[in-house]
Amino acid sequence: DAGVTQSPTHLIKTRGQQVTLRCSPKSGHDTVSWYQQALGQGPQFIFQYYEEEERQRGNFPDRFSGHQFPNYSSELNVNALLLGDSALYLCASSFRQGAVSSYNSPLHFGNGTRLTVT
Amino acid sequence: QQQVKQSPQSLIVQKGGISIINCAYENTAFDYFPWYQQFPGKGPALLIAIRPDVSEKKEGRFTISFNKSAKQFSLHIMDSQPGDSATYFCAAPYFNKFYFGSGTKLNVKP
């Protein structure tokens, strides 16, 4: 049973460029969340997708956008890259099916995409 | 505003010792309180979680203690092993939006 897979594993971009990161959720999961983890910090919530719609959003600018496809996979897009966007981007999946609490379906994280902006 | 505050930032423990990591939270509407373990180059993995109606939960060598009145919870690792060396994050979800602590880097000396 494949867990959460993310691609690419590493990426180097230049300031001002745009980047797309991809995520395939764990089999049976329908909800995908994206987190940014700066070096030496805890993950910060970017947004969450369920039923192909953005359901919740953290404190990130509109340069960060996403998409969820009918097969539950997801993309994170970042436009006009800044040096400060350099981080590990984590995708996490869970089985939500409209539930308020995730206690019975905790987050499963991928190993992330390391983005370096030069 | 930081929703979850974690301490210490780093911890060195001898093999066989007890590792203790603490977290404090602000929002009393948090749903439950999980701990995640992260090894270098890997994503965080769920270690153990507790609901706010329970004061303690134990799974093997890992125990969560929860103090609702103080709005604090802690992770205890008994008989710490070198393989436990990793970064640990406390977290608190609010309607499926997770707030993470800043992490504790644990180093267990052989």
Side-chain angles (χ1 to χ4, degrees), chain A residues 33 35 37 40-45 48 56-59 88 90 94 96 99-112, chain B residues 2 9 31-34 36 38 41-46 49-51 57 87 89-90 93-103:
Chain A
S33 301
Y35 287 80
Q37 185 176 23
Q41 298 296 316
Q44 298 288 317
F45 178 79
Q48 181 185 83
Q56 292 200 73
R57 190 177 185 91
N59 189 25
L88 180 68
L90 294 163
S94 59
R96 177 177 169 175
V100 171
S101 171
S102 60
Y103 181 77
N104 292 317
S105 178
L107 293 182
H108 287 254
F109 282 88
N111 289 330
Chain B
Q2 193 175 2
Q9 189 174 7
D31 188 28
Y32 68 100
F33 301 91
Y36 282 81
Q38 186 176 27
K42 301 291 186 181
L46 179 66
I50 193 169
R51 283 194 140 153
K57 182 174 181 180
T87 300
F89 294 96
C90 60
Y94 182 67
F95 284 96
N96 295 301
K97 177 180 177 179
F98 279 68
Y99 294 91
F100 283 84
S102 54

Side-chain angles (χ1 to χ4, degrees), chain B residues 2-92:
Chain B
Q2 193 175 2
Q3 296 276 359
V4 181
K5 295 181 181 179
Q6 183 173 345
S7 63
Q9 189 174 7
S10 63
L11 187 59
I12 299 174
V13 173
Q14 291 295 321
K15 179 183 176 180
I18 302 174
S19 304
I20 302 174
I21 305 170
N22 302 297
C23 272
Y25 63 95
E26 296 288 331
N27 189 343
T28 57
F30 284 137
D31 188 28
Y32 68 100
F33 301 91
W35 284 90
Y36 282 81
Q37 180 188 55
Q38 186 176 27
F39 292 103
K42 301 291 186 181
L46 179 66
L47 194 60
I48 186 172
I50 193 169
R51 283 194 140 153
D53 55 349
V54 176
S55 61
E56 186 176 281
K57 182 174 181 180
K58 184 176 180 179
E59 290 183 359
R61 297 185 294 109
F62 301 92
T63 300
I64 298 180
S65 297
F66 182 74
N67 186 330
K68 190 172 183 177
S69 60
K71 293 191 284 186
Q72 295 177 346
F73 59 108
S74 60
L75 175 69
H76 295 237
I77 305 174
M78 312 300 288
D79 187 26
S80 298
Q81 298 297 312
D84 296 331
S85 296
T87 300
Y88 293 80
F89 294 96
C90 60

Side-chain angles (χ1 to χ4, degrees), chain A residues 61-77:
Chain A
D62 292 344
R63 299 187 296 108
F64 289 78
S65 63
H67 191 77
Q68 185 179 35
F69 299 94
N71 68 350
Y72 307 118
S73 67
S74 177
E75 289 181 350
L76 164 66
N77 301 293

Side-chain angles (χ1 to χ4, degrees), chain A residues 1-4 26-28:
Chain A
D1 177 23
V4 178
K26 180 179 170 64
S27 178

